[in-house]
Amino acid sequence: MRVCILNEFFYPDVMGGTPKVLSDLASKLRFSHGLDISVITSRNSYRDPSVKFSSYENWEGIKIFRVEAPHWTSKSTPQRLAGNLLFTHRAKRRMLRDVKCDVVLVSSAPVTLPMAALAYLRRRKIPYVYVVYDMDPDRAVALGIADPHGLPVRALSWQQRKWLHGAHTVVAIGRCMRDHLMERYEVPPDRIEVIEVGADAYTVRPLPRNTKFRRENEIDGFIVLYSGNFGKYHDFDTVLDAAKAVWSKKPSVTFVLVGRGAKKEHLQTRIATERIHNVKMFDFVPEEDYADLIASADVCLVTLEAGMEGLCVPSKFYSILAGGRPTLALMRAKSEVAYAVDGEDIGIVVELGDSGQLAKTVLQLTTKSEELRVQGDRARYLFEARYTSDIIAQKFEATLSKAAAKNSRSL
C-alpha cells in the first residue's frame, strides 16, 4: 500500500508536536508494516527559522518532498493564514506532480492543509484519512483571539466541515475530540476513529528517581514536573500561584518547568518579580535525556486551558505514562487526559484555575510515596496495553487499509 503523508513539518525536525509524532508513525508504518511512504512537507524547521532542509530526501526508504513556504514565527494571524494557504497550494502541486499513492494521510497542521487532500481526491480519486491534532478555527475562538461570528471564522468553519465530510475517515486523538466532531461538525460516528498519539515504549521508560537531571541541577526533595510547550492554551498562572502557597508550608517541593513557548517570558517575569523561589525553569533537554527528565519527577503536570477540551489533547501525557509516573491533570473533567487519569487511577485531576486545591493536592502527595509508586506502575502497564507506538501504528495501518480498499489500485 502506498501512502502519502501531508504535514507542514517532518523529519529531521522532531523536537516535539506533530513533526515527531508523524515522523515516528511513518517510520513504524514503513518498517513494521511494509508500507511505501511518501511525505509532502515544508523546507522549514519548526523552532529555528534560519534552518532550511533540502527539497528532497530519502530517509531510510521514506521519500520526503519539501516545498518552500513562509515561516509562521512572529507573524500575525492573517499573515499566518496566508502562509498556510501558500504552503497548501505548493504541497498540492508537488503531490500531483511527484506522488502516486493509494491513500493520503493529512494532518490538521496547518489548518488549511486538508484542502490539498480534497483536491487530490477530486483530481485523482484517491481517498484521504484526516487526522485532527488541533481543531481550528475552534481553538482560536476558545482562546478569545477570534470572533466566532466574524467572516474568517465562519468561512474557515464552513471549509472545515467540508474537509471533515470529504474524508474517508477522520481520526480523533481523544474521546473528547470525537464528541466535539460529532456535535459541532455533525461527522457521523462511524466515520470517526479514536487513535491516541501514544509514545515509543523504548525511548521513554521507567527509571530510578535518582537521576542525572537531579544531580546536575542540585534538586532534592519532591518534584512536580511540567515538560512541553508554554503554549497559549495552557494554564500556568494557577501553577505559579500554587507554588507560592506550597513554598510557605514545604519549601523542599520544587516545581520544575521545562520547555519553550509563547508564555515563557510571562512565566519568567512572574517568577522574578514575585520571587517564587521553588519554581525553576529550563530549556528543552536532548531527546536522549528525556526519559531521565521524566524519571526525576514524583508527579508530572499536564495542563489545558478552559474551553480547549475536545480541541486538542496534550501529547506529553503519553510520555508520562511511558515513564511510569503519575499525572497531575490541571484541567476540566471532560477532556481525554482527565478521562484516563480518573478512570484508570493513574493520578489526580484538579479543577482548572483552583490554585488552592492544586497546592493542597501537592502537599498531600508529598506524604504518599507508596501510592504514587503504585499509580506510576499502573500508568506504565496501561501504556503498554494501549498506547505504545507499535499499537498506534497498527491502528493507523488498519484505518489506512480500509480507506485504500476503495481505490482500485490499492493492494
Side-chain angles (χ1 to χ4, degrees), residues 15 47-48 226 228-231 258-264 282-284:
M15 282 299 292
R47 299 193 188 280
D48 189 348
Y226 175 89
N229 287 323
F230 303 129
V258 178
R260 302 176 194 169
K263 286 189 175 180
K264 184 172 184 177
F282 301 90
D283 202 350
F284 285 115

Side-chain angles (χ1 to χ4, degrees), residues 5-239:
I5 297 176
L6 302 181
N7 194 65
E8 186 173 12
F9 302 101
F10 196 75
Y11 174 89
D13 194 21
V14 291
M15 282 299 292
T18 56
K20 177 169 177 53
V21 169
L22 283 174
S23 297
D24 291 348
L25 175 62
S27 182
K28 290 287 184 183
L29 292 174
R30 169 68 179 162
F31 292 104
S32 298
H33 298 276
L35 273 57
D36 183 342
I37 306 289
S38 299
V39 179
I40 307 291
T41 187
S42 79
R43 293 189 61 199
N44 296 326
S45 166
Y46 179 74
R47 299 193 188 280
D48 189 348
S50 67
V51 172
K52 286 286 185 181
F53 300 114
S54 61
S55 59
Y56 176 78
E57 180 176 356
N58 189 306
W59 171 46
E60 298 181 342
I62 297 173
K63 299 176 287 293
I64 306 175
F65 301 92
R66 300 189 180 98
V67 302
E68 289 286 353
H71 199 284
W72 58 267
T73 303
S74 302
K75 300 287 196 306
S76 66
T77 298
Q79 286 175 317
R80 286 193 187 188
L81 185 57
N84 291 344
L85 286 168
L86 180 60
F87 167 67
T88 298
H89 174 67
R90 289 175 175 172
K92 179 191 70 175
R93 286 196 312 179
R94 191 71 182 268
M95 183 164 56
L96 286 168
R97 189 186 75 191
D98 294 325
V99 173
K100 292 183 179 180
C101 64
D102 304 305
V103 61
V104 174
L105 177 63
V106 60
S107 86
S108 54
V111 60
T112 58
L113 195 51
M115 186 183 301
L118 183 59
Y120 199 72
L121 169 66
R122 290 172 174 172
R123 183 79 63 89
R124 298 282 175 82
K125 309 303 180 186
I126 302 299
Y128 66 92
V129 172
Y130 180 11
V131 54
V132 182
Y133 290 114
D134 298 298
M135 190 75 252
D136 284 310
D138 310 52
R139 281 195 313 164
V141 171
L143 290 170
I145 60 177
D147 179 2
H149 306 294
L151 180 60
V153 169
R154 288 189 289 115
L156 194 51
S157 295
W158 180 80
Q159 289 285 352
Q160 187 67 265
R161 179 181 294 268
K162 185 166 65 171
W163 300 331
L164 289 164
H165 284 263
H168 178 275
T169 306
V170 177
V171 173
I173 60 172
R175 290 163 284 182
C176 54
M177 184 176 286
R178 174 200 62 198
D179 295 343
H180 180 80
L181 291 170
M182 291 191 297
E183 294 167 11
R184 173 74 173 84
Y185 292 98
E186 299 177 314
V187 181
D190 62 350
R191 297 269 297 280
I192 303 174
E193 291 284 347
V194 176
I195 306 178
E196 298 84 356
V197 171
D200 185 77
Y202 306 100
T203 302
V204 180
R205 61 202 182 281
L207 296 173
R209 183 172 170 273
N210 182 25
T211 61
K212 180 178 75 170
F213 180 85
R214 279 180 174 266
R215 293 191 300 271
E216 289 183 348
N217 295 288
E218 300 181 341
I219 302 176
D220 295 319
F222 194 93
I223 287 182
V224 180
L225 171 69
Y226 175 89
S227 177
N229 287 323
F230 303 129
K232 294 179 180 178
Y233 47 91
H234 297 105
D235 176 18
F236 295 105
D237 286 317
T238 298
V239 177

Side-chain angles (χ1 to χ4, degrees), residues 350-369:
V350 176
E351 180 62 30
L352 192 69
D354 194 340
S355 61
Q357 184 60 40
L358 179 58
K360 180 180 178 181
T361 299
V362 170
L363 289 169
Q364 290 173 342
L365 291 177
T366 61
T367 66
K368 297 181 178 181
S369 58

Side-chain angles (χ1 to χ4, degrees), residues 284-325:
F284 285 115
V285 300
E287 185 175 2
E288 60 269 22
D289 292 334
Y290 188 58
D292 178 88
L293 175 66
I294 296 295
S296 304
D298 292 276
V299 64
C300 292
L301 186 65
V302 179
T303 70
L304 194 66
E305 283 280 17
M308 299 303 292
E309 308 84 17
L311 308 184
C312 61
V313 177
S315 60
K316 68 180 68 64
F317 173 60
Y318 301 100
S319 295
I320 295 168
L321 298 183
R325 291 297 183 266

